[in-house]
Amino acid sequence: DTAVSQTPKYLVTQMGNDKSIKCEQNLGHDTMYWYKQDSKKFLKIMFSYNNKELIINETVPNRFSPKSPDKAHLNLHINSLELGDSAVYFCASSQDGFRAFFGQGTRLTVV
Amino acid sequence: DAKTTQPNSMESNEEEPVHLPCNHSTISGTDYIHWYRQLPSQGPEYVIHGLTSNVNNRMASLAIAEDRKSSTLILHRATLRDAAVYYCILRGGSQGNLIFGKGTKLSVKP
């Protein structure tokens, strides 16, 4: 069983479109995260979500919005996609704050 | 979050031990030292974490300097599968996010 799963694995879309990436964790963790890894391979935290408390990295454009229908899911919605949004997006979860489990990533390509 | 400094890259031979260094001279008393690795085309994977004492698990050992200003991740016998980018991260207890730096790209030669 995959602990943290993301769908889709690959996403190619045109500029200006709105898209969503889904993330599910079956670990019963309370905290979930979204990270972005750009072409230079830097991993940057975008959001963390714990018990309905959302902590946003202030550098993230408001076109990005996380939505959590329940504790096991944290989806990422992106509006008006731009070329610079092309990256690999990773979802992660953690219970104790010490050990985070990451998904396999979603490679988003905006053309 | 305090900053860490790691070499950009390291090479190792298969079956030999690997010592990956990390400097964190501005570490605070409540900062834990975390290590993650990222294999090619995969998400980051937890390796180990510690506060003051050396730590061992099935993947690796973490040696922490007495003044806590540096630490070393030890892979006892490198395998080809250990080729990855290794990240040393400081985090204040269970709070705060994991802030990834550039990491060390480890290459393992057969």
Side-chain angles (χ1 to χ4, degrees):
Chain A
D1 283 341
T2 303
V4 180
S5 59
Q6 299 177 224
T7 54
K9 189 171 180 179
Y10 299 96
L11 181 56
V12 181
T13 187
Q14 290 186 328
M15 277 195 303
N17 283 352
D18 303 337
K19 290 293 179 184
S20 295
I21 305 172
K22 295 185 177 180
C23 177
E24 176 182 3
Q25 54 99 0
N26 62 7
L27 299 167
H29 289 168
D30 286 331
T31 306
M32 296 184 72
Y33 311 84
W34 276 104
Y35 282 81
K36 177 182 179 181
Q37 188 166 39
D38 60 25
S39 57
K40 295 183 179 178
K41 304 296 185 183
F42 290 120
L43 267 162
K44 294 182 181 177
I45 181 75
M46 299 178 71
F47 306 100
S48 65
Y49 195 85
N50 183 327
N51 291 328
K52 301 187 180 180
E53 181 188 5
L54 177 65
I55 300 172
I56 303 172
N57 183 329
E58 63 272 11
T59 66
V60 175
N62 57 15
R63 298 181 294 104
F64 290 78
S65 57
K67 289 187 172 33
S68 180
D70 55 57
K71 194 173 112 170
H73 297 83
L74 185 65
N75 303 324
L76 182 64
H77 295 269
I78 316 169
N79 294 325
S80 303
L81 277 155
E82 301 176 357
L83 292 176
D85 297 333
S86 296
V88 181
Y89 292 84
F90 290 99
C91 176
S93 73
S94 176
Q95 180 60 29
D96 58 9
F98 289 107
R99 181 173 180 176
F101 292 78
F102 285 78
Q104 291 298 297
T106 296
R107 181 174 294 276
L108 171 66
T109 303
V110 183
V111 297
Chain B
D1 294 298
K3 188 176 177 181
T4 63
T5 304
Q6 300 177 252
N8 289 333
S9 62
M10 289 184 66
E11 272 192 356
S12 171
N13 294 318
E14 199 176 10
E15 305 288 315
E16 291 185 357
V18 181
H19 291 235
L20 296 162
C22 181
N23 288 320
H24 28 78
S25 58
T26 59
I27 191 170
S28 73
T30 56
D31 282 339
Y32 282 76
I33 302 159
H34 297 253
W35 283 83
Y36 280 74
R37 71 180 186 180
Q38 187 173 19
L39 278 64
S41 301
Q42 295 193 25
E45 174 187 30
Y46 168 86
V47 178
I48 202 165
H49 78 274
L51 183 60
T52 56
S53 303
N54 294 343
V55 185
N56 300 297
N57 66 22
R58 65 173 180 81
M59 288 181 71
S61 295
L62 176 59
I64 301 173
E66 199 168 331
D67 63 6
R68 300 212 324 127
K69 294 187 176 183
S70 65
S71 60
T72 302
L73 180 71
I74 303 166
L75 306 179
H76 295 286
R77 287 181 65 196
T79 68
L80 296 178
R81 196 191 170 278
D82 290 322
V85 178
Y86 286 78
Y87 298 97
C88 170
I89 304 165
L90 300 184
R91 185 179 184 183
S94 62
Q95 303 304 314
N97 297 314
L98 292 169
I99 308 297
F100 288 80
K102 296 180 182 180
T104 296
K105 183 174 183 178
L106 175 66
S107 302
V108 180
K109 296 183 290 184

